[in-house]
Structures are given as C-alpha cells and as structure tokens.
Amino acid sequence: MPKLLPNEHSIQSEPVDGGLETLEGLLHYIFKDKGLLIEALTHRSYFHESPGKSCAYNERFEFLGDAVLGMAITDILFRENASLSEAEMSKLKSYLVSREILAQLALEMNIGQYIRLGKGEELTGGRKKNSLIANTLEAIIGAVYLDSDYVVVKNVIMHLYAPTINKAINQHHPYDYKTTLQELSQTLFATLPEYRLVSETGDDHNKTFVYEVCLNAQPLATGTGKSKKTAQINAACAALQTLHKKENLI
C-alpha cells in the first residue's frame, strides 16, 4: 500500500508536527509503514475535498479494526478472567467495544488532533465528535494489525484497555446497571423503570445529558453523562443504590 504524504499547505487538516511519533508512543507501537497510520487518520471528508492528496480514507480500516477489536477483547476476557461466565463475557465485550468506550479512549489519547479532516468537517467540530474519533481509533487498530500481526495488535489493545477492563470488573459490570434495575423493579414492584430526559446542555458535539429514572411515575434517582446512554446508566446505578438502602437489600 503506498504511503500518503501530509499536505503541507493545510496544517489544520493534518496531524500536528511530530504528532505521529506522539501517537505511536500512546499506542506503544511504532509503525513500519507510516502510510498505514496516515490512511487510518484520513477521514472521508478530507479525501473528497482533496482527492489528489490522498488515495484512500479510513472506512475500510475501521471495518477491519472493528473485527480485530472484537476478537482481541473476547480473547483477553477468556484468557485473563477464567471466573467470567459466557453471559458475563458477552455483556463485557458489548460494553468494551461500544462507541461510547471507544470514544472515551480516543478522547483520552486526544486522537482528534491527529485526524486529517476536510474543511467542512473541521468547521463543524469534527475533531470532538464522539462517533468520528471512535471510528478513527478502530481504524488505527486495523492499521496496527495490517502493519504487524494479531499477537502484536492484541498487546496494543491490552495496553489501551487494561484500566477500563479492570474498572468494569471491579465495579461489578457498570454496563449492566439498567438490566439489573429492570429485573429488581419487576421483582419488588411488578413494574418497569422509566427514563426521562431532564436536560441537555452544551454544543452539538459536546453535550451533557441529565436523565431521571422513575418507578410508578415517581422519580427515584438522576444521572449525568456525555451521552444519553451514559446518563441513563448512571441514573440506574444511583437508583439501585437507593433501592438497596430503602429495601435493606445489602
């Protein structure tokens, strides 16, 4: 695959100077073919606006990275956590490969600053869009796989994910709070929880949501998050804590 050269006349739409080396340091991986990394960082908006400066964009890499990530996470959970059941591994995997977690990891790595974007996407805050940076991280994982092999990319993923995996397990699977609340409310009250949007603030690419969870139309708890899903999960977590104390379940 040919290497792609940065566009020296459009600094804002290119990885920052020295950015590739910094990004490789965050990944704990040095690319043999830098062109693979640059292609993984190339958004379709850049490709369409500057067709002569890029021969491809990162959506194929994203597709590959999604598959590699799913396999690696499954492998890690199976080998590193023998006490997990099939159901627990399935739920954990769904949580760990979700756009929400990918975006969180990408944000921590500040991946947005390295992406090659078209001017339109740049002006609409593309570097801060959760879906865009999450997709880019998947593309980078695909590029690492193409540049090395499965064992190497699995180690990269383990490095990126270790704190998140440990936190999820130690906090008793935060991804399952909504299901647990649903099952508990059916058992105790023969009803299902209802989630209501209380407020949303911030720019389109950086919103904060507040949800309340209700039982029998009565507010039980609230939760805040950078996505609706996160806010609802946090509300469910708070509701479980309230129920545990109220019903002496702990």
Side-chain angles (χ1 to χ4, degrees), residues 15 19-21 23-24 27 29 31 33-42 58 61 114 136 139-140 143-144 147:
L20 295 185
E21 290 77 12
L23 182 55
E24 287 174 323
L27 293 169
Y29 179 75
F31 277 82
D33 182 353
K34 304 297 186 192
L36 291 173
L37 177 55
I38 294 175
E39 185 170 333
L41 294 168
T42 302
N58 64 8
F61 281 27
Y114 307 109
T136 302
I140 292 170
V144 172
D147 196 58

mmCIF file with all atom_site columns, all heavy atoms in Angstrom, residues 15 19-21 23-24 27 29 31 33-42 58 61 114 136 139-140 143-144 147:
data_model
loop_
_atom_site.group_PDB
_atom_site.id
_atom_site.type_symbol
_atom_site.label_atom_id
_atom_site.label_alt_id
_atom_site.label_comp_id
_atom_site.label_asym_id
_atom_site.label_entity_id
_atom_site.label_seq_id
_atom_site.pdbx_PDB_ins_code
_atom_site.Cartn_x
_atom_site.Cartn_y
_atom_site.Cartn_z
_atom_site.occupancy
_atom_site.B_iso_or_equiv
_atom_site.pdbx_formal_charge
_atom_site.auth_seq_id
_atom_site.auth_comp_id
_atom_site.auth_asym_id
_atom_site.auth_atom_id
_atom_site.pdbx_PDB_model_num
ATOM 1   N N   . PRO A 1 15  ? -2.243  15.798 10.699 1.00 0.00 ? 15  PRO A N   1
ATOM 2   C CA  . PRO A 1 15  ? -1.686  15.536 12.022 1.00 0.00 ? 15  PRO A CA  1
ATOM 3   C C   . PRO A 1 15  ? -0.681  16.627 12.390 1.00 0.00 ? 15  PRO A C   1
ATOM 4   O O   . PRO A 1 15  ? 0.046   17.118 11.527 1.00 0.00 ? 15  PRO A O   1
ATOM 5   C CB  . PRO A 1 15  ? -0.988  14.178 11.849 1.00 0.00 ? 15  PRO A CB  1
ATOM 6   C CG  . PRO A 1 15  ? -1.679  13.555 10.680 1.00 0.00 ? 15  PRO A CG  1
ATOM 7   C CD  . PRO A 1 15  ? -2.029  14.708 9.774  1.00 0.00 ? 15  PRO A CD  1
ATOM 8   N N   . GLY A 1 19  ? 3.262   14.672 15.466 1.00 0.00 ? 19  GLY A N   1
ATOM 9   C CA  . GLY A 1 19  ? 2.081   14.003 16.001 1.00 0.00 ? 19  GLY A CA  1
ATOM 10  C C   . GLY A 1 19  ? 2.114   12.511 15.855 1.00 0.00 ? 19  GLY A C   1
ATOM 11  O O   . GLY A 1 19  ? 1.642   11.788 16.738 1.00 0.00 ? 19  GLY A O   1
ATOM 12  N N   . LEU A 1 20  ? 2.655   12.041 14.742 1.00 0.00 ? 20  LEU A N   1
ATOM 13  C CA  . LEU A 1 20  ? 2.672   10.598 14.528 1.00 0.00 ? 20  LEU A CA  1
ATOM 14  C C   . LEU A 1 20  ? 3.526   9.897  15.583 1.00 0.00 ? 20  LEU A C   1
ATOM 15  O O   . LEU A 1 20  ? 3.138   8.851  16.111 1.00 0.00 ? 20  LEU A O   1
ATOM 16  C CB  . LEU A 1 20  ? 3.187   10.277 13.123 1.00 0.00 ? 20  LEU A CB  1
ATOM 17  C CG  . LEU A 1 20  ? 2.316   10.761 11.963 1.00 0.00 ? 20  LEU A CG  1
ATOM 18  C CD1 . LEU A 1 20  ? 2.881   10.261 10.646 1.00 0.00 ? 20  LEU A CD1 1
ATOM 19  C CD2 . LEU A 1 20  ? 0.877   10.312 12.130 1.00 0.00 ? 20  LEU A CD2 1
ATOM 20  N N   . GLU A 1 21  ? 4.658   10.470 15.897 1.00 0.00 ? 21  GLU A N   1
ATOM 21  C CA  . GLU A 1 21  ? 5.524   9.870  16.908 1.00 0.00 ? 21  GLU A CA  1
ATOM 22  C C   . GLU A 1 21  ? 4.847   9.894  18.284 1.00 0.00 ? 21  GLU A C   1
ATOM 23  O O   . GLU A 1 21  ? 4.940   8.930  19.049 1.00 0.00 ? 21  GLU A O   1
ATOM 24  C CB  . GLU A 1 21  ? 6.858   10.608 16.976 1.00 0.00 ? 21  GLU A CB  1
ATOM 25  C CG  . GLU A 1 21  ? 7.759   10.403 15.770 1.00 0.00 ? 21  GLU A CG  1
ATOM 26  C CD  . GLU A 1 21  ? 7.322   11.216 14.557 1.00 0.00 ? 21  GLU A CD  1
ATOM 27  O OE1 . GLU A 1 21  ? 6.462   12.115 14.716 1.00 0.00 ? 21  GLU A OE1 1
ATOM 28  O OE2 . GLU A 1 21  ? 7.839   10.943 13.457 1.00 0.00 ? 21  GLU A OE2 1
ATOM 29  N N   . LEU A 1 23  ? 1.601   9.926  18.850 1.00 0.00 ? 23  LEU A N   1
ATOM 30  C CA  . LEU A 1 23  ? 0.516   8.963  18.812 1.00 0.00 ? 23  LEU A CA  1
ATOM 31  C C   . LEU A 1 23  ? 1.049   7.528  18.931 1.00 0.00 ? 23  LEU A C   1
ATOM 32  O O   . LEU A 1 23  ? 0.473   6.695  19.638 1.00 0.00 ? 23  LEU A O   1
ATOM 33  C CB  . LEU A 1 23  ? -0.282  9.124  17.518 1.00 0.00 ? 23  LEU A CB  1
ATOM 34  C CG  . LEU A 1 23  ? -1.502  8.214  17.336 1.00 0.00 ? 23  LEU A CG  1
ATOM 35  C CD1 . LEU A 1 23  ? -2.462  8.344  18.518 1.00 0.00 ? 23  LEU A CD1 1
ATOM 36  C CD2 . LEU A 1 23  ? -2.214  8.542  16.032 1.00 0.00 ? 23  LEU A CD2 1
ATOM 37  N N   . GLU A 1 24  ? 2.149   7.256  18.256 1.00 0.00 ? 24  GLU A N   1
ATOM 38  C CA  . GLU A 1 24  ? 2.754   5.928  18.372 1.00 0.00 ? 24  GLU A CA  1
ATOM 39  C C   . GLU A 1 24  ? 3.179   5.645  19.811 1.00 0.00 ? 24  GLU A C   1
ATOM 40  O O   . GLU A 1 24  ? 3.056   4.514  20.292 1.00 0.00 ? 24  GLU A O   1
ATOM 41  C CB  . GLU A 1 24  ? 3.954   5.817  17.427 1.00 0.00 ? 24  GLU A CB  1
ATOM 42  C CG  . GLU A 1 24  ? 3.558   5.716  15.959 1.00 0.00 ? 24  GLU A CG  1
ATOM 43  C CD  . GLU A 1 24  ? 4.764   5.757  15.038 1.00 0.00 ? 24  GLU A CD  1
ATOM 44  O OE1 . GLU A 1 24  ? 5.722   6.511  15.350 1.00 0.00 ? 24  GLU A OE1 1
ATOM 45  O OE2 . GLU A 1 24  ? 4.747   5.062  14.014 1.00 0.00 ? 24  GLU A OE2 1
ATOM 46  N N   . LEU A 1 27  ? 0.203   4.604  21.732 1.00 0.00 ? 27  LEU A N   1
ATOM 47  C CA  . LEU A 1 27  ? -0.209  3.259  21.346 1.00 0.00 ? 27  LEU A CA  1
ATOM 48  C C   . LEU A 1 27  ? 0.760   2.190  21.837 1.00 0.00 ? 27  LEU A C   1
ATOM 49  O O   . LEU A 1 27  ? 0.418   1.007  21.890 1.00 0.00 ? 27  LEU A O   1
ATOM 50  C CB  . LEU A 1 27  ? -0.307  3.156  19.815 1.00 0.00 ? 27  LEU A CB  1
ATOM 51  C CG  . LEU A 1 27  ? -1.406  3.956  19.119 1.00 0.00 ? 27  LEU A CG  1
ATOM 52  C CD1 . LEU A 1 27  ? -1.179  3.958  17.608 1.00 0.00 ? 27  LEU A CD1 1
ATOM 53  C CD2 . LEU A 1 27  ? -2.781  3.365  19.439 1.00 0.00 ? 27  LEU A CD2 1
ATOM 54  N N   . TYR A 1 29  ? 3.299   1.440  20.069 1.00 0.00 ? 29  TYR A N   1
ATOM 55  C CA  . TYR A 1 29  ? 3.582   0.711  18.826 1.00 0.00 ? 29  TYR A CA  1
ATOM 56  C C   . TYR A 1 29  ? 4.171   1.682  17.802 1.00 0.00 ? 29  TYR A C   1
ATOM 57  O O   . TYR A 1 29  ? 3.637   2.780  17.594 1.00 0.00 ? 29  TYR A O   1
ATOM 58  C CB  . TYR A 1 29  ? 2.310   0.081  18.253 1.00 0.00 ? 29  TYR A CB  1
ATOM 59  C CG  . TYR A 1 29  ? 2.577   -0.657 16.963 1.00 0.00 ? 29  TYR A CG  1
ATOM 60  C CD1 . TYR A 1 29  ? 3.209   -1.900 16.972 1.00 0.00 ? 29  TYR A CD1 1
ATOM 61  C CD2 . TYR A 1 29  ? 2.261   -0.092 15.731 1.00 0.00 ? 29  TYR A CD2 1
ATOM 62  C CE1 . TYR A 1 29  ? 3.505   -2.565 15.793 1.00 0.00 ? 29  TYR A CE1 1
ATOM 63  C CE2 . TYR A 1 29  ? 2.540   -0.747 14.548 1.00 0.00 ? 29  TYR A CE2 1
ATOM 64  C CZ  . TYR A 1 29  ? 3.168   -1.983 14.582 1.00 0.00 ? 29  TYR A CZ  1
ATOM 65  O OH  . TYR A 1 29  ? 3.473   -2.636 13.416 1.00 0.00 ? 29  TYR A OH  1
ATOM 66  N N   . PHE A 1 31  ? 4.989   2.183  13.877 1.00 0.00 ? 31  PHE A N   1
ATOM 67  C CA  . PHE A 1 31  ? 4.624   1.659  12.566 1.00 0.00 ? 31  PHE A CA  1
ATOM 68  C C   . PHE A 1 31  ? 5.849   1.492  11.669 1.00 0.00 ? 31  PHE A C   1
ATOM 69  O O   . PHE A 1 31  ? 6.688   2.382  11.573 1.00 0.00 ? 31  PHE A O   1
ATOM 70  C CB  . PHE A 1 31  ? 3.630   2.593  11.880 1.00 0.00 ? 31  PHE A CB  1
ATOM 71  C CG  . PHE A 1 31  ? 2.205   2.383  12.307 1.00 0.00 ? 31  PHE A CG  1
ATOM 72  C CD1 . PHE A 1 31  ? 1.723   2.956  13.473 1.00 0.00 ? 31  PHE A CD1 1
ATOM 73  C CD2 . PHE A 1 31  ? 1.346   1.598  11.548 1.00 0.00 ? 31  PHE A CD2 1
ATOM 74  C CE1 . PHE A 1 31  ? 0.416   2.767  13.877 1.00 0.00 ? 31  PHE A CE1 1
ATOM 75  C CE2 . PHE A 1 31  ? 0.038   1.399  11.938 1.00 0.00 ? 31  PHE A CE2 1
ATOM 76  C CZ  . PHE A 1 31  ? -0.434  1.982  13.112 1.00 0.00 ? 31  PHE A CZ  1
ATOM 77  N N   . ASP A 1 33  ? 5.250   0.940  8.417  1.00 0.00 ? 33  ASP A N   1
ATOM 78  C CA  . ASP A 1 33  ? 4.722   1.665  7.261  1.00 0.00 ? 33  ASP A CA  1
ATOM 79  C C   . ASP A 1 33  ? 3.861   2.810  7.776  1.00 0.00 ? 33  ASP A C   1
ATOM 80  O O   . ASP A 1 33  ? 2.699   2.628  8.141  1.00 0.00 ? 33  ASP A O   1
ATOM 81  C CB  . ASP A 1 33  ? 3.893   0.716  6.390  1.00 0.00 ? 33  ASP A CB  1
ATOM 82  C CG  . ASP A 1 33  ? 3.345   1.388  5.132  1.00 0.00 ? 33  ASP A CG  1
ATOM 83  O OD1 . ASP A 1 33  ? 3.500   2.618  4.995  1.00 0.00 ? 33  ASP A OD1 1
ATOM 84  O OD2 . ASP A 1 33  ? 2.753   0.672  4.299  1.00 0.00 ? 33  ASP A OD2 1
ATOM 85  N N   . LYS A 1 34  ? 4.435   4.020  7.823  1.00 0.00 ? 34  LYS A N   1
ATOM 86  C CA  . LYS A 1 34  ? 3.704   5.176  8.349  1.00 0.00 ? 34  LYS A CA  1
ATOM 87  C C   . LYS A 1 34  ? 2.481   5.482  7.497  1.00 0.00 ? 34  LYS A C   1
ATOM 88  O O   . LYS A 1 34  ? 1.515   6.096  7.960  1.00 0.00 ? 34  LYS A O   1
ATOM 89  C CB  . LYS A 1 34  ? 4.606   6.410  8.387  1.00 0.00 ? 34  LYS A CB  1
ATOM 90  C CG  . LYS A 1 34  ? 5.893   6.241  9.182  1.00 0.00 ? 34  LYS A CG  1
ATOM 91  C CD  . LYS A 1 34  ? 5.644   5.965  10.642 1.00 0.00 ? 34  LYS A CD  1
ATOM 92  C CE  . LYS A 1 34  ? 6.986   5.947  11.402 1.00 0.00 ? 34  LYS A CE  1
ATOM 93  N NZ  . LYS A 1 34  ? 6.867   5.407  12.747 1.00 0.00 ? 34  LYS A NZ  1
ATOM 94  N N   . GLY A 1 35  ? 2.517   5.063  6.228  1.00 0.00 ? 35  GLY A N   1
ATOM 95  C CA  . GLY A 1 35  ? 1.380   5.314  5.353  1.00 0.00 ? 35  GLY A CA  1
ATOM 96  C C   . GLY A 1 35  ? 0.110   4.658  5.853  1.00 0.00 ? 35  GLY A C   1
ATOM 97  O O   . GLY A 1 35  ? -0.993  5.185  5.664  1.00 0.00 ? 35  GLY A O   1
ATOM 98  N N   . LEU A 1 36  ? 0.241   3.517  6.502  1.00 0.00 ? 36  LEU A N   1
ATOM 99  C CA  . LEU A 1 36  ? -0.933  2.848  7.065  1.00 0.00 ? 36  LEU A CA  1
ATOM 100 C C   . LEU A 1 36  ? -1.558  3.694  8.169  1.00 0.00 ? 36  LEU A C   1
ATOM 101 O O   . LEU A 1 36  ? -2.783  3.826  8.246  1.00 0.00 ? 36  LEU A O   1
ATOM 102 C CB  . LEU A 1 36  ? -0.540  1.474  7.611  1.00 0.00 ? 36  LEU A CB  1
ATOM 103 C CG  . LEU A 1 36  ? -0.136  0.417  6.581  1.00 0.00 ? 36  LEU A CG  1
ATOM 104 C CD1 . LEU A 1 36  ? 0.398   -0.829 7.293  1.00 0.00 ? 36  LEU A CD1 1
ATOM 105 C CD2 . LEU A 1 36  ? -1.305  0.058  5.681  1.00 0.00 ? 36  LEU A CD2 1
ATOM 106 N N   . LEU A 1 37  ? -0.726  4.259  9.011  1.00 0.00 ? 37  LEU A N   1
ATOM 107 C CA  . LEU A 1 37  ? -1.238  5.105  10.089 1.00 0.00 ? 37  LEU A CA  1
ATOM 108 C C   . LEU A 1 37  ? -1.889  6.360  9.520  1.00 0.00 ? 37  LEU A C   1
ATOM 109 O O   . LEU A 1 37  ? -2.967  6.770  9.966  1.00 0.00 ? 37  LEU A O   1
ATOM 110 C CB  . LEU A 1 37  ? -0.110  5.479  11.049 1.00 0.00 ? 37  LEU A CB  1
ATOM 111 C CG  . LEU A 1 37  ? -0.483  6.433  12.194 1.00 0.00 ? 37  LEU A CG  1
ATOM 112 C CD1 . LEU A 1 37  ? -1.647  5.893  13.017 1.00 0.00 ? 37  LEU A CD1 1
ATOM 113 C CD2 . LEU A 1 37  ? 0.728   6.695  13.084 1.00 0.00 ? 37  LEU A CD2 1
ATOM 114 N N   . ILE A 1 38  ? -1.251  6.966  8.529  1.00 0.00 ? 38  ILE A N   1
ATOM 115 C CA  . ILE A 1 38  ? -1.817  8.187  7.941  1.00 0.00 ? 38  ILE A CA  1
ATOM 116 C C   . ILE A 1 38  ? -3.158  7.896  7.281  1.00 0.00 ? 38  ILE A C   1
ATOM 117 O O   . ILE A 1 38  ? -4.111  8.675  7.404  1.00 0.00 ? 38  ILE A O   1
ATOM 118 C CB  . ILE A 1 38  ? -0.832  8.816  6.943  1.00 0.00 ? 38  ILE A CB  1
ATOM 119 C CG1 . ILE A 1 38  ? 0.410   9.309  7.700  1.00 0.00 ? 38  ILE A CG1 1
ATOM 120 C CG2 . ILE A 1 38  ? -1.479  9.968  6.193  1.00 0.00 ? 38  ILE A CG2 1
ATOM 121 C CD1 . ILE A 1 38  ? 1.507   9.841  6.810  1.00 0.00 ? 38  ILE A CD1 1
ATOM 122 N N   . GLU A 1 39  ? -3.261  6.762  6.587  1.00 0.00 ? 39  GLU A N   1
ATOM 123 C CA  . GLU A 1 39  ? -4.544  6.409  5.974  1.00 0.00 ? 39  GLU A CA  1
ATOM 124 C C   . GLU A 1 39  ? -5.611  6.180  7.044  1.00 0.00 ? 39  GLU A C   1
ATOM 125 O O   . GLU A 1 39  ? -6.771  6.563  6.871  1.00 0.00 ? 39  GLU A O   1
ATOM 126 C CB  . GLU A 1 39  ? -4.403  5.170  5.103  1.00 0.00 ? 39  GLU A CB  1
ATOM 127 C CG  . GLU A 1 39  ? -5.681  4.829  4.354  1.00 0.00 ? 39  GLU A CG  1
ATOM 128 C CD  . GLU A 1 39  ? -5.492  3.754  3.305  1.00 0.00 ? 39  GLU A CD  1
ATOM 129 O OE1 . GLU A 1 39  ? -4.361  3.619  2.778  1.00 0.00 ? 39  GLU A OE1 1
ATOM 130 O OE2 . GLU A 1 39  ? -6.466  3.049  3.013  1.00 0.00 ? 39  GLU A OE2 1
ATOM 131 N N   . ALA A 1 40  ? -5.220  5.569  8.158  1.00 0.00 ? 40  ALA A N   1
ATOM 132 C CA  . ALA A 1 40  ? -6.169  5.345  9.248  1.00 0.00 ? 40  ALA A CA  1
ATOM 133 C C   . ALA A 1 40  ? -6.651  6.655  9.854  1.00 0.00 ? 40  ALA A C   1
ATOM 134 O O   . ALA A 1 40  ? -7.745  6.718  10.440 1.00 0.00 ? 40  ALA A O   1
ATOM 135 C CB  . ALA A 1 40  ? -5.527  4.485  10.332 1.00 0.00 ? 40  ALA A CB  1
ATOM 136 N N   . LEU A 1 41  ? -5.860  7.705  9.708  1.00 0.00 ? 41  LEU A N   1
ATOM 137 C CA  . LEU A 1 41  ? -6.205  9.024  10.245 1.00 0.00 ? 41  LEU A CA  1
ATOM 138 C C   . LEU A 1 41  ? -6.905  9.913  9.222  1.00 0.00 ? 41  LEU A C   1
ATOM 139 O O   . LEU A 1 41  ? -7.224  11.067 9.525  1.00 0.00 ? 41  LEU A O   1
ATOM 140 C CB  . LEU A 1 41  ? -4.936  9.728  10.746 1.00 0.00 ? 41  LEU A CB  1
ATOM 141 C CG  . LEU A 1 41  ? -4.247  9.098  11.952 1.00 0.00 ? 41  LEU A CG  1
ATOM 142 C CD1 . LEU A 1 41  ? -2.864  9.711  12.161 1.00 0.00 ? 41  LEU A CD1 1
ATOM 143 C CD2 . LEU A 1 41  ? -5.100  9.257  13.213 1.00 0.00 ? 41  LEU A CD2 1
ATOM 144 N N   . THR A 1 42  ? -7.132  9.398  8.019  1.00 0.00 ? 42  THR A N   1
ATOM 145 C CA  . THR A 1 42  ? -7.723  10.199 6.945  1.00 0.00 ? 42  THR A CA  1
ATOM 146 C C   . THR A 1 42  ? -9.224  9.991  6.879  1.00 0.00 ? 42  THR A C   1
ATOM 147 O O   . THR A 1 42  ? -9.704  8.895  6.571  1.00 0.00 ? 42  THR A O   1
ATOM 148 C CB  . THR A 1 42  ? -7.098  9.838  5.590  1.00 0.00 ? 42  THR A CB  1
ATOM 149 O OG1 . THR A 1 42  ? -5.679  10.036 5.652  1.00 0.00 ? 42  THR A OG1 1
ATOM 150 C CG2 . THR A 1 42  ? -7.670  10.697 4.479  1.00 0.00 ? 42  THR A CG2 1
ATOM 151 N N   . ASN A 1 58  ? -10.300 6.147  5.680  1.00 0.00 ? 58  ASN A N   1
ATOM 152 C CA  . ASN A 1 58  ? -10.119 5.124  6.709  1.00 0.00 ? 58  ASN A CA  1
ATOM 153 C C   . ASN A 1 58  ? -11.287 4.175  6.969  1.00 0.00 ? 58  ASN A C   1
ATOM 154 O O   . ASN A 1 58  ? -11.230 3.378  7.901  1.00 0.00 ? 58  ASN A O   1
ATOM 155 C CB  . ASN A 1 58  ? -9.711  5.787  8.030  1.00 0.00 ? 58  ASN A CB  1
ATOM 156 C CG  . ASN A 1 58  ? -10.799 6.695  8.591  1.00 0.00 ? 58  ASN A CG  1
ATOM 157 O OD1 . ASN A 1 58  ? -11.917 6.744  8.102  1.00 0.00 ? 58  ASN A OD1 1
ATOM 158 N ND2 . ASN A 1 58  ? -10.449 7.428  9.645  1.00 0.00 ? 58  ASN A ND2 1
ATOM 159 N N   . PHE A 1 61  ? -10.349 0.502  6.935  1.00 0.00 ? 61  PHE A N   1
ATOM 160 C CA  . PHE A 1 61  ? -9.550  0.209  8.119  1.00 0.00 ? 61  PHE A CA  1
ATOM 161 C C   . PHE A 1 61  ? -10.449 0.094  9.355  1.00 0.00 ? 61  PHE A C   1
ATOM 162 O O   . PHE A 1 61  ? -10.221 -0.730 10.238 1.00 0.00 ? 61  PHE A O   1
ATOM 163 C CB  . PHE A 1 61  ? -8.506  1.298  8.345  1.00 0.00 ? 61  PHE A CB  1
ATOM 164 C CG  . PHE A 1 61  ? -7.291  1.188  7.463  1.00 0.00 ? 61  PHE A CG  1
ATOM 165 C CD1 . PHE A 1 61  ? -7.355  0.581  6.216  1.00 0.00 ? 61  PHE A CD1 1
ATOM 166 C CD2 . PHE A 1 61  ? -6.079  1.705  7.881  1.00 0.00 ? 61  PHE A CD2 1
ATOM 167 C CE1 . PHE A 1 61  ? -6.242  0.485  5.406  1.00 0.00 ? 61  PHE A CE1 1
ATOM 168 C CE2 . PHE A 1 61  ? -4.949  1.612  7.079  1.00 0.00 ? 61  PHE A CE2 1
ATOM 169 C CZ  . PHE A 1 61  ? -5.031  1.003  5.832  1.00 0.00 ? 61  PHE A CZ  1
ATOM 170 N N   . TYR A 1 114 ? -5.039  14.515 15.595 1.00 0.00 ? 114 TYR A N   1
ATOM 171 C CA  . TYR A 1 114 ? -4.218  13.877 14.574 1.00 0.00 ? 114 TYR A CA  1
ATOM 172 C C   . TYR A 1 114 ? -4.965  13.594 13.270 1.00 0.00 ? 114 TYR A C   1
ATOM 173 O O   . TYR A 1 114 ? -4.352  13.233 12.267 1.00 0.00 ? 114 TYR A O   1
ATOM 174 C CB  . TYR A 1 114 ? -3.668  12.540 15.104 1.00 0.00 ? 114 TYR A CB  1
ATOM 175 C CG  . TYR A 1 114 ? -2.953  12.644 16.412 1.00 0.00 ? 114 TYR A CG  1
ATOM 176 C CD1 . TYR A 1 114 ? -3.512  12.117 17.577 1.00 0.00 ? 114 TYR A CD1 1
ATOM 177 C CD2 . TYR A 1 114 ? -1.716  13.276 16.514 1.00 0.00 ? 114 TYR A CD2 1
ATOM 178 C CE1 . TYR A 1 114 ? -2.856  12.206 18.788 1.00 0.00 ? 114 TYR A CE1 1
ATOM 179 C CE2 . TYR A 1 114 ? -1.058  13.372 17.720 1.00 0.00 ? 114 TYR A CE2 1
ATOM 180 C CZ  . TYR A 1 114 ? -1.632  12.840 18.857 1.00 0.00 ? 114 TYR A CZ  1
ATOM 181 O OH  . TYR A 1 114 ? -0.978  12.936 20.063 1.00 0.00 ? 114 TYR A OH  1
ATOM 182 N N   . THR A 1 136 ? -12.157 6.457  14.239 1.00 0.00 ? 136 THR A N   1
ATOM 183 C CA  . THR A 1 136 ? -10.742 6.609  13.920 1.00 0.00 ? 136 THR A CA  1
ATOM 184 C C   . THR A 1 136 ? -9.884  5.665  14.757 1.00 0.00 ? 136 THR A C   1
ATOM 185 O O   . THR A 1 136 ? -8.923  5.079  14.250 1.00 0.00 ? 136 THR A O   1
ATOM 186 C CB  . THR A 1 136 ? -10.283 8.062  14.130 1.00 0.00 ? 136 THR A CB  1
ATOM 187 O OG1 . THR A 1 136 ? -11.078 8.935  13.310 1.00 0.00 ? 136 THR A OG1 1
ATOM 188 C CG2 . THR A 1 136 ? -8.816  8.239  13.765 1.00 0.00 ? 136 THR A CG2 1
ATOM 189 N N   . ALA A 1 139 ? -10.046 2.396  13.220 1.00 0.00 ? 139 ALA A N   1
ATOM 190 C CA  . ALA A 1 139 ? -9.219  2.370  12.011 1.00 0.00 ? 139 ALA A CA  1
ATOM 191 C C   . ALA A 1 139 ? -7.744  2.204  12.362 1.00 0.00 ? 139 ALA A C   1
ATOM 192 O O   . ALA A 1 139 ? -7.002  1.484  11.673 1.00 0.00 ? 139 ALA A O   1
ATOM 193 C CB  . ALA A 1 139 ? -9.436  3.654  11.205 1.00 0.00 ? 139 ALA A CB  1
ATOM 194 N N   . ILE A 1 140 ? -7.298  2.864  13.418 1.00 0.00 ? 140 ILE A N   1
ATOM 195 C CA  . ILE A 1 140 ? -5.905  2.743  13.851 1.00 0.00 ? 140 ILE A CA  1
ATOM 196 C C   . ILE A 1 140 ? -5.606  1.305  14.279 1.00 0.00 ? 140 ILE A C   1
ATOM 197 O O   . ILE A 1 140 ? -4.539  0.766  13.966 1.00 0.00 ? 140 ILE A O   1
ATOM 198 C CB  . ILE A 1 140 ? -5.610  3.730  15.001 1.00 0.00 ? 140 ILE A CB  1
ATOM 199 C CG1 . ILE A 1 140 ? -5.659  5.175  14.483 1.00 0.00 ? 140 ILE A CG1 1
ATOM 200 C CG2 . ILE A 1 140 ? -4.252  3.441  15.631 1.00 0.00 ? 140 ILE A CG2 1
ATOM 201 C CD1 . ILE A 1 140 ? -5.609  6.219  15.582 1.00 0.00 ? 140 ILE A CD1 1
ATOM 202 N N   . ALA A 1 143 ? -5.079  -0.630 11.283 1.00 0.00 ? 143 ALA A N   1
ATOM 203 C CA  . ALA A 1 143 ? -3.775  -0.328 10.685 1.00 0.00 ? 143 ALA A CA  1
ATOM 204 C C   . ALA A 1 143 ? -2.643  -1.046 11.425 1.00 0.00 ? 143 ALA A C   1
ATOM 205 O O   . ALA A 1 143 ? -1.698  -1.540 10.802 1.00 0.00 ? 143 ALA A O   1
ATOM 206 C CB  . ALA A 1 143 ? -3.538  1.179  10.699 1.00 0.00 ? 143 ALA A CB  1
ATOM 207 N N   . VAL A 1 144 ? -2.736  -1.101 12.755 1.00 0.00 ? 144 VAL A N   1
ATOM 208 C CA  . VAL A 1 144 ? -1.723  -1.823 13.531 1.00 0.00 ? 144 VAL A CA  1
ATOM 209 C C   . VAL A 1 144 ? -1.711  -3.292 13.126 1.00 0.00 ? 144 VAL A C   1
ATOM 210 O O   . VAL A 1 144 ? -0.646  -3.899 12.941 1.00 0.00 ? 144 VAL A O   1
ATOM 211 C CB  . VAL A 1 144 ? -1.989  -1.687 15.050 1.00 0.00 ? 144 VAL A CB  1
ATOM 212 C CG1 . VAL A 1 144 ? -1.052  -2.600 15.844 1.00 0.00 ? 144 VAL A CG1 1
ATOM 213 C CG2 . VAL A 1 144 ? -1.816  -0.245 15.510 1.00 0.00 ? 144 VAL A CG2 1
ATOM 214 N N   . ASP A 1 147 ? -0.021  -3.737 9.818  1.00 0.00 ? 147 ASP A N   1
ATOM 215 C CA  . ASP A 1 147 ? 1.403   -3.448 9.895  1.00 0.00 ? 147 ASP A CA  1
ATOM 216 C C   . ASP A 1 147 ? 2.170   -4.495 10.683 1.00 0.00 ? 147 ASP A C   1
ATOM 217 O O   . ASP A 1 147 ? 3.402   -4.523 10.646 1.00 0.00 ? 147 ASP A O   1
ATOM 218 C CB  . ASP A 1 147 ? 1.603   -2.071 10.544 1.00 0.00 ? 147 ASP A CB  1
ATOM 219 C CG  . ASP A 1 147 ? 2.999   -1.509 10.329 1.00 0.00 ? 147 ASP A CG  1
ATOM 220 O OD1 . ASP A 1 147 ? 3.393   -1.355 9.156  1.00 0.00 ? 147 ASP A OD1 1
ATOM 221 O OD2 . ASP A 1 147 ? 3.684   -1.233 11.329 1.00 0.00 ? 147 ASP A OD2 1
#
